[in-house]
């Protein structure tokens, strides 16, 4: 997946949500409005996250990478949500609650691209300064430039 065109319409900086489900409802509405997903997206992303948590505990910040099967995606993209306070997700490894600071929501139409894309994105997780820049930023252009460097 090429991310030359990260879409400003699905980048949400410094957000606060009462729950992961509230965030998914908000995101689902925005993704439907911008024709990224099918009507089943909300149900499927919550179901998948409940069965296969995507939260990752890192040194200073925590990230999540929720996604759904490709049949519920209309066009490739990635939504981004940042939250200084954090949004509660389950840890992918231990199932404990984690406060997630960055959500990278993968929207991929081809299932074979998921793994390659996840590996590129995950390679940036060891770099606290990059993640800190993303969380602290109020500028969508800055976020897009950081991610283009990571994902090239």
């Amino acid at each position: 997946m090429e991310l030359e065109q990260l879409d400003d319409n699905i980048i949400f900086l410094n957000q606060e949500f009462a729950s992961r489900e509230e965030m998914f409802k908000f995101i689902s509405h925005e993704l439907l409005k911008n024709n990224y997903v099918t009507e089943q997206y909300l149900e499927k992303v919550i179901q998948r996250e409940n069965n296969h948590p995507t939260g990752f505990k890192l040194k200073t910040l925590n990230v999540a990478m929720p996604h759904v099967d490709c049949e519920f995606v209309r066009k490739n993209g990635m939504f981004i949500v940042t939250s200084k306070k954090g949004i509660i997700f389950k840890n992918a490894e231990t199932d404990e609650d984690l406060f997630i600071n960055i959500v990278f929501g993968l929207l991929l139409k081809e299932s074979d691209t998921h793994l390659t894309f996840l590996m590129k994105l995950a390679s940036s997780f060891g770099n606290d300064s990059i993640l800190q820049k993303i969380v602290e930023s109020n500028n969508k252009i800055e976020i897009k430039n950081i991610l283009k460097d990571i994902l090239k």
Side-chain angles (χ1 to χ4, degrees):
M1 176 174 114
E2 293 299 316
L3 284 181
E4 294 306 316
Q5 304 290 60
L6 277 170
D7 186 350
D8 287 355
N9 292 320
I10 58 172
I11 298 175
F12 308 97
L13 306 178
N14 302 311
Q15 300 293 306
E16 288 191 21
F17 294 99
S19 68
R20 182 187 70 193
E21 287 73 18
E22 181 184 297
M23 184 210 68
F24 281 137
K25 285 178 187 171
F26 170 79
I27 291 298
S28 180
H29 174 77
E30 295 299 316
L31 294 175
L32 278 166
K33 186 168 76 174
N34 289 282
N35 201 37
Y36 278 94
V37 297
T38 67
E39 294 287 335
Q40 296 91 355
Y41 176 82
L42 176 60
E43 173 193 348
K44 296 300 180 183
V45 75
I46 290 172
Q47 183 179 55
R48 184 173 183 108
E49 194 64 34
N50 286 340
N51 294 328
H52 305 286
T54 63
F56 293 93
K57 185 173 182 62
L58 305 176
K59 290 180 206 162
T60 57
L61 298 169
N62 300 319
V63 301
M65 295 188 297
H67 54 281
V68 296
D69 292 336
C70 53
E71 67 197 87
F72 306 109
V73 177
R74 289 194 174 122
K75 62 182 178 180
N76 287 336
M78 180 171 67
F79 70 82
I80 300 159
V81 176
T82 64
S83 174
K84 290 177 184 160
K85 178 183 165 195
I87 304 161
I88 295 178
F89 274 69
K90 293 286 186 188
N91 186 320
E93 297 168 340
T94 66
D95 213 34
E96 70 178 313
D97 284 348
L98 287 178
F99 283 94
I100 299 297
N101 305 104
I102 308 171
V103 179
F104 296 107
L106 307 180
L107 305 165
L108 301 172
K109 286 178 17 173
E110 300 85 25
S111 59
D112 59 336
T113 59
H114 267 92
L115 192 55
T116 304
F117 188 79
L118 283 169
M119 301 271 285
K120 280 185 178 182
L121 195 54
S123 71
S124 70
F125 294 170
N127 189 331
D128 286 343
S129 65
I130 288 175
L131 297 176
Q132 196 64 47
K133 281 182 192 170
I134 292 172
V135 168
E136 297 294 329
S137 181
N138 293 312
N139 184 319
K140 292 180 182 185
I141 293 170
E142 181 181 25
I143 299 284
K144 292 182 345 182
N145 287 334
I146 292 168
L147 289 171
K148 282 179 190 173
D149 283 346
I150 292 170
L151 299 169
K152 62 183 172 198

